[in-house]
Amino acid sequence: MKILLCISNVPDTTTKIRFKDDNKEFDASGVQWIINPWDELALTRALELKEGSGGKIEKISVALVGDKSTEPTIRKALAIGADDAFRIDSEPKDSYYVANQLKELAKDFDIVMCGIESADYTSSAVGGMLSEMLEWPSVSSVSSLEIEGDEVKIRREIDGGQEVVSAELPFVAIVQKGIALEPRIPAMRGIMMARKKPLNVVEPIQADVLTAYESFELPPPKADVKLVDEENVKELVELLKNEAKAI
Amino acid sequence: MSVLAYTENWDGKFKKLSYELVSYAKAIAENLNTETVVASIGAVEEEELKKLGNYGADKVVAAKDEKLKNLANQPYAKTLAQIAEKENATVLVFAHNFTGKAVAPRVSVKLKAGLAAGVTEPPSSYDPFIIKRKVFTNKAFANVKINSDKKILTLFQNSFEIKETENKASIEEFTPELTDADFRTEVKEVNKVTGKILLTDAEIVVSGGRGMKGPEKWENLEKLAEVLGAATACSRPVSDEGWRPHEEHVGQTGKIVAPNLYIALGISGAIQHLGGVSSSKTIVAINTDKDAPIFESADYGIVGDVHKVLPQLIEAIKEVKAEG
């Protein structure tokens, strides 16, 4: 059995978002790039599954659509424990384009895992689009995944509760928080080994781009907080009732 | 031509979110001078389907196939794509919730319709089609242009005002064309949250951070939530420590919420947390540290110990509620 992790290269979650060129483009100066947090948790879970599979899961691969500047992020995924990697050498133009790039590669795998969203353009779309292009089932908002024999047992969050779902292979798991407790941190040995693991660069295929960013905006600045004395809690409640009309 | 909204149901009932979606679809349909059609999947009584008319639906197309009882991404997407084709829908509207995120991307591929996820208002322009959506986990907005003939939007919760109309909706049953190959996942167990206000539905959210000082100190927070009819939530360190279940975690990697009122108790306000709550209409912060970043995002605040403030706050709210 083989598992493919689709990962994104995103700004660190503490990044203060800024734009440049008249708000036409994201300002990447000084930004630290990381593996998208949900993808990192998914990778951690995939490695746990492989380690507990007694050799049944033979390979964990990662795939990323991006230019050469994303390679440190890919190397980090290899250092965490993925066996090999594929970089599709193109800008990730939009979700539809990215899913098309991943499609050919994904066909050779039994389980494809994607994070529920990427921390940059946050469309929550690539995993779902990819599964439809492959005509595979998808299970989304997955918060736990176990393999028992040939059956995959999944716990997923729905609007208003949780479900236990079983899925046939092959399928796409779109994962969220809970899938693994903590992302794995690469050890020195992993970092050394990652240098020797294959990072295959793949030429992009011709694919349509359906959307384009025209411009960006930051939310309007917030007015100063109104502070109420801790001895005068009643005043806060009155402000909430009469001024904010929130209670 | 039509604008098609899809709303899920909860045990055969619609809720505020459904009406918000229909009102939003109606606003777009008016601009395009076309019909508002709503798709429903699963067992919903005719009376309940008709209610969608009150918010602008001209027609409700209901797929009642027993096999579609539980959400399954593949057959749901297929059903909705078939309805969209039958109704000649040019704009499709979904909720930006678990269901919408599960289904909309698949429908997008089926119809080759460009997707704008997490939109907060109607398009600013129809030709070209340009719409504002949230990006960078709620920290910024983008104006995105959709180039395809058909468009799919997922609407961020609590971003559009519900409007009642005088519409009467016609109801039409629909039998989707599905095969066994569409059902390759099976729901084994459903655990619905009962007797609790759902975080994503709540008008008011009461949330605790590390400043609560321990899992055994949540009693007053829960009491406050009860008095306000609020849902409870927490910050990431609290869910990571196992003080509260991870379903309660709000923030960049947890849930993104947008209630009318968000009360942050003992939460310092890391940038990742603020990303998940900054769309709330009013934010109240109570924290001992006057320099905590949460106060920069809050509308109202008290610098003080949550455990001293909470009992007073509960009493003061009870009094205000009693006055009516």
Side-chain angles (χ1 to χ4, degrees):
Chain A
M1 195 187 286
K2 292 193 288 183
I3 303 179
L4 178 68
L5 273 297
C6 302
I7 65 170
S8 308
N9 180 50
V10 300
D12 178 87
T13 53
T14 58
T15 305
K16 203 165 168 23
I17 302 300
R18 283 192 213 92
F19 301 102
K20 60 177 187 181
D21 297 345
D22 199 17
N23 284 333
K24 294 267 188 279
E25 208 175 320
F26 174 62
D27 183 354
S29 58
V31 168
Q32 293 272 1
W33 296 88
I34 58 165
I35 306 176
N36 184 41
W38 295 271
D39 306 347
E40 200 177 20
L41 288 171
L43 173 60
T44 301
R45 183 63 194 145
L47 293 168
E48 290 168 2
L49 288 169
K50 185 185 170 205
E51 287 152 9
S53 76
K56 206 176 149 197
I57 298 175
E58 67 232 67
K59 198 170 81 155
I60 309 281
S61 302
V62 296
L64 183 146
V65 178
D67 62 21
K68 200 167 168 42
S69 73
T70 62
E71 287 195 358
T73 292
I74 301 175
R75 287 281 173 212
K76 189 181 171 199
L78 292 170
I80 292 171
D83 299 300
D84 62 2
F86 299 87
R87 178 172 70 79
I88 296 146
D89 189 21
S90 170
E91 283 292 305
K93 293 171 184 165
D94 78 346
S95 308
Y96 189 82
Y97 177 87
V98 168
N100 260 309
Q101 300 303 328
L102 294 167
K103 179 180 67 179
E104 287 305 316
L105 198 62
K107 279 179 183 158
D108 295 332
F109 291 82
D110 303 283
I111 300 177
V112 173
M113 293 171 87
C114 300
I116 193 164
E117 65 178 34
S118 65
D120 48 5
Y121 295 101
T122 47
S123 287
S124 296
V126 170
M129 287 182 174
L130 176 61
S131 61
E132 188 61 42
M133 288 171 183
L134 292 164
E135 297 183 26
W136 287 5
S138 56
V139 182
S140 40
S141 47
V142 171
S143 57
S144 95
L145 195 155
E146 311 273 349
I147 300 175
E148 291 169 3
D150 284 330
E151 204 185 65
V152 183
K153 203 175 149 201
I154 298 153
R155 189 171 289 276
R156 73 136 143 208
E157 206 171 337
I158 53 169
D159 295 291
Q162 283 195 341
E163 284 177 351
V164 177
V165 181
S166 70
E168 282 174 30
L169 299 178
F171 84 107
V172 177
I174 300 159
V175 311
Q176 62 155 0
K177 208 190 161 190
I179 186 76
L181 282 179
E182 285 278 333
R184 224 174 250 197
I185 295 161
M188 189 43 86
R189 186 163 169 270
I191 296 168
M192 301 297 283
M193 278 167 66
R195 291 186 197 152
K196 294 195 190 110
K197 287 178 179 172
L199 196 170
N200 308 291
V201 179
V202 181
E203 281 302 307
I205 59 158
Q206 170 63 38
D208 285 323
V209 179
L210 304 182
T211 60
Y213 288 104
E214 294 282 294
S215 63
F216 297 93
E217 298 169 23
L218 290 171
K222 197 119 186 174
D224 282 349
V225 61
K226 276 192 190 170
L227 286 178
V228 173
D229 192 88
E230 68 174 319
E231 301 302 325
N232 203 359
V233 176
K234 220 179 148 134
E235 189 190 332
L236 172 67
V237 176
E238 262 148 29
L239 284 168
L240 288 178
K241 186 175 183 223
N242 301 322
E243 191 177 88
K245 304 201 188 311
I247 55 172
Chain B
M1 215 171 94
S2 70
V3 174
L4 179 72
Y6 165 65
T7 173
E8 67 210 284
N9 65 81
W10 289 263
D11 295 321
K13 299 284 178 229
F14 296 123
K15 56 187 180 191
K16 197 183 146 208
L17 173 76
S18 317
Y19 305 136
E20 185 184 345
L21 277 173
V22 179
S23 293
Y24 178 77
K26 173 75 178 171
I28 294 176
E30 272 176 353
N31 250 294
L32 294 172
N33 214 355
T34 184
E35 263 196 325
T36 307
V37 182
V38 183
S40 162
I41 298 178
V44 183
E45 301 279 339
E46 180 141 348
E47 274 310 294
E48 190 69 13
L49 292 172
K50 279 194 168 153
K51 281 187 195 164
L52 298 171
N54 303 344
Y55 302 91
D58 298 302
K59 188 202 268 186
V60 178
V61 180
K64 290 183 179 171
D65 196 320
E66 177 58 24
K67 282 193 292 191
L68 296 171
K69 193 169 157 239
N70 292 311
L71 171 66
N73 302 356
Q74 205 172 7
Y76 267 53
K78 199 169 177 183
T79 301
L80 292 167
Q82 287 171 7
I83 295 175
E85 276 174 354
K86 183 176 89 70
E87 296 299 327
N88 194 12
T90 51
V91 179
L92 282 79
V93 180
F94 292 81
H96 193 62
N97 61 4
F98 287 128
T99 308
K101 289 177 194 174
V103 181
R106 297 198 71 130
V107 179
S108 158
V109 170
K110 282 202 171 294
L111 302 177
K112 208 176 176 191
L115 172 71
V119 300
T120 54
E121 48 192 64
S124 56
S125 150
Y126 284 86
D127 191 17
F129 194 96
I130 298 173
I131 192 156
K132 192 162 153 178
R133 58 170 294 248
K134 290 184 181 258
V135 287
F136 292 98
T137 48
N138 223 13
K139 288 188 238 169
F141 295 98
N143 294 300
V144 62
K145 184 165 88 176
I146 306 182
N147 294 318
S148 50
D149 293 342
K150 291 175 183 168
K151 286 99 181 161
I152 298 193
L153 314 172
T154 64
L155 177 66
F156 196 84
Q157 76 228 27
N158 279 349
S159 51
F160 195 75
E161 206 168 317
I162 292 176
K163 277 193 203 103
E164 293 209 35
T165 64
E166 299 287 305
N167 264 33
K168 291 267 179 285
S170 63
I171 312 290
E172 193 181 297
E173 285 211 22
F174 180 77
T175 310
E177 279 175 43
L178 300 169
T179 66
D180 287 346
D182 297 318
F183 294 89
R184 285 178 283 168
T185 61
E186 191 189 343
V187 174
K188 300 275 189 186
E189 203 181 305
V190 182
N191 301 305
K192 294 249 166 79
V193 178
T194 51
K196 247 185 98 173
I197 294 160
L198 292 176
L199 193 46
T200 43
D201 287 347
E203 301 277 346
I204 304 177
V205 173
V206 180
S207 188
R210 231 177 339 205
M212 293 293 291
K213 303 239 169 70
E216 71 288 354
K217 301 206 165 174
W218 241 258
E219 194 184 325
N220 274 331
L221 186 153
E222 285 180 331
K223 211 177 274 177
L224 176 65
E226 196 187 312
V227 176
L228 287 168
T232 53
C234 69
S235 66
R236 174 171 173 172
V238 165
S239 81
D240 282 357
E241 291 288 335
W243 293 3
R244 302 293 291 179
H246 76 78
E247 291 86 357
E248 280 201 3
H249 164 203
V250 294
Q252 198 165 312
T253 51
K255 288 201 173 68
I256 294 190
V257 295
N260 275 332
L261 177 59
Y262 182 81
I263 304 180
L265 303 169
I267 293 176
S268 62
I271 190 166
Q272 296 97 325
H273 186 78
L274 298 174
V277 306
S278 58
S279 303
S280 310
K281 292 217 170 69
T282 301
I283 297 178
V284 174
I286 301 173
N287 201 301
T288 44
D289 176 9
K290 68 171 176 29
D291 297 320
I294 188 80
F295 287 118
E296 281 164 38
S297 294
D299 301 283
Y300 303 99
I302 293 179
V303 179
D305 179 355
V306 283
H307 293 296
K308 281 197 193 128
V309 173
L310 263 175
Q312 299 178 57
L313 187 57
I314 293 165
E315 283 316 306
I317 287 168
K318 275 188 186 162
E319 276 173 38
V320 167
K321 293 257 170 190
E323 287 162 18

